[in-house]
Amino acid sequence: MGRQANETKPIKHICAGLLAHVDAGKTTLSEAMLYLSGEIKRLGRVDHRDCFLDTHSLERERGITIFSKQARLELEHSIVTLLDTPGHVDFAAEAERSMQVLDMGLLVLSASEPVQSHTETLWRLGENYRLPCFIFVTKTDLPNAGRDSIMKLLQSRLSENCVDFGLEAEALFEHIALCDEGAMEEYLNSGKISTGTIRRLISGRRLFPCFFGSGLKTQGVRELLEAMDAYAPDRDYGGEFAAKVYKIGSDAQGKRLSYMKITGGSLKVRSPIKYKDEKGNELEEKVSQIRLYSGSKYETAEEVSAGQVCAVLGLSACRSGQGLGAEAD
């Protein structure tokens, strides 16, 4: 599913957040996404404690995601950064911090217990951040209420504009047309709805594509990836450098890492950045290294452009939620 070696590198960057209630199957789905896109060669399992994104010993021991982490995968037209956020309610603040840099959310639901109280909390947070959202109902290989019943539940508990993207084309267009007057007019005039219109509706939270399958058995995951590649929202970025810091961490050697999304222009190694610390003192520090993390491993880059997510060394006092350059706090 990834790009061919001789293809031009795509310029579309998608930052997608994996959101879920604990034990919904989020980490297992991320394994399937990475495997089918060619980023990993074998599927890990939570119960085997060898999942690509559960890198911390506490996570492997408890079998849950505690810290937000990222993985990169390549699709035909896009590079996707997956931000895996904690599903346990005790670590909800970590999930919310990540939302400020997302282009879209991927809400993962268990077919046996689709909508729980924390699911609705995550959905409301997505509304607050005006976050476009895809939904993947996993564990459909286990006993569940059935596809039609689950769709009715999603439409009543989350949004009436949740649409099953597993429908045949004509039925799918009919359901999408009901979400928006412009889409209805397009459908009545042409008998179909364009990719651009579908992308616009998703971006404006007028449409929430829903997919069904099994992360463990990789069922339905390829269709999800293809839809993300086709319909994930496009972003317009300015030419002036801007970035939003969403997490502060450290590497194995104790070096301070500032995780950020570039929201305008570009950032180069050795670029000076002016910002204020918590006490209001103005600092100017140079970026000493830029890292592109995927799981516990990373590549270094000399420059990153708008839309990309990276970890930066050299900033001693910036904080989560801080805007850099033209980006406001």
Side-chain angles (χ1 to χ4, degrees), residues 55-309:
T55 56
H56 196 281
S57 58
L58 284 174
E59 295 174 315
R60 293 186 185 275
E61 180 181 339
R62 296 180 63 179
I64 62 172
T65 301
I66 297 175
F67 309 103
S68 63
K69 296 171 298 299
Q70 63 196 62
R72 286 163 53 87
L73 57 90
E74 296 183 358
L75 304 178
E76 186 176 356
H77 305 294
S78 317
I79 292 179
V80 178
T81 299
L82 284 179
L83 288 191
D84 185 20
T85 66
H88 199 287
V89 66
D90 290 349
F91 309 108
E94 183 82 5
E96 184 174 0
R97 276 193 289 270
S98 301
M99 285 192 179
Q100 59 193 312
V101 298
L102 299 180
D103 297 313
M104 58 164 283
L106 176 54
L107 183 65
V108 185
L109 308 178
S110 168
S112 57
E113 299 178 289
V115 181
Q116 301 187 43
S117 59
H118 189 54
T119 309
E120 292 181 304
T121 298
L122 291 169
W123 189 259
R124 288 193 296 271
L125 284 172
E127 289 178 342
N128 291 342
Y129 285 94
R130 299 299 303 162
L131 188 66
C133 194
F134 286 45
I135 296 171
F136 189 86
V137 181
T138 189
K139 301 185 182 181
T140 56
D141 52 321
L142 302 177
N144 62 81
R147 193 168 183 136
D148 291 343
S149 296
I150 292 173
M151 282 305 307
K152 289 178 182 177
L153 179 66
L154 299 184
Q155 289 161 353
S156 65
R157 297 278 295 275
L158 300 182
S159 170
E160 62 182 7
N161 290 345
C162 290
V163 173
D164 184 352
F165 267 51
L167 297 171
E168 294 294 329
E170 184 175 352
L172 176 61
F173 291 149
E174 288 177 357
H175 281 74
I176 294 174
L178 294 173
C179 298
D180 178 79
E181 289 185 6
M184 175 64 78
E185 184 177 352
E186 182 178 334
Y187 175 65
L188 292 175
N189 289 334
S190 66
K192 58 184 180 180
I193 299 176
S194 69
T195 297
T197 296
I198 295 173
R199 189 183 298 125
R200 174 181 63 81
L201 294 178
I202 294 170
S203 180
R205 289 182 55 86
R206 297 290 301 156
L207 171 63
F208 302 98
C210 301
F211 302 85
F212 288 75
S214 166
L216 187 61
K217 297 185 177 180
T218 70
Q219 296 169 349
V221 181
R222 190 175 298 277
E223 291 79 4
L224 169 66
L225 291 170
E226 289 172 351
M228 288 175 61
D229 197 30
Y231 303 129
D234 290 319
R235 299 292 187 191
D236 294 323
Y237 296 105
E240 184 180 358
F241 166 69
K244 174 74 78 174
V245 180
Y246 70 92
K247 186 175 75 167
I248 301 298
S250 59
D251 64 10
Q253 288 72 46
K255 295 179 180 177
R256 193 176 198 271
L257 298 171
S258 301
Y259 291 85
M260 64 184 69
K261 180 183 179 183
I262 310 303
T263 56
S266 65
L267 177 65
K268 297 179 180 179
V269 174
R270 294 177 293 280
S271 294
I273 294 181
K274 292 182 179 180
Y275 67 97
K276 292 183 179 180
D277 64 16
E278 287 186 310
K279 296 180 179 180
N281 300 314
E282 189 161 310
L283 305 176
E284 181 173 324
E285 298 178 317
K286 288 188 177 182
V287 172
S288 59
Q289 190 178 66
I290 298 172
R291 297 179 180 180
L292 303 175
Y293 271 93
S294 193
S296 59
K297 298 180 180 180
Y298 65 87
E299 298 176 357
T300 59
E302 286 298 309
E303 182 176 7
V304 284
S305 57
Q308 289 187 270
V309 175

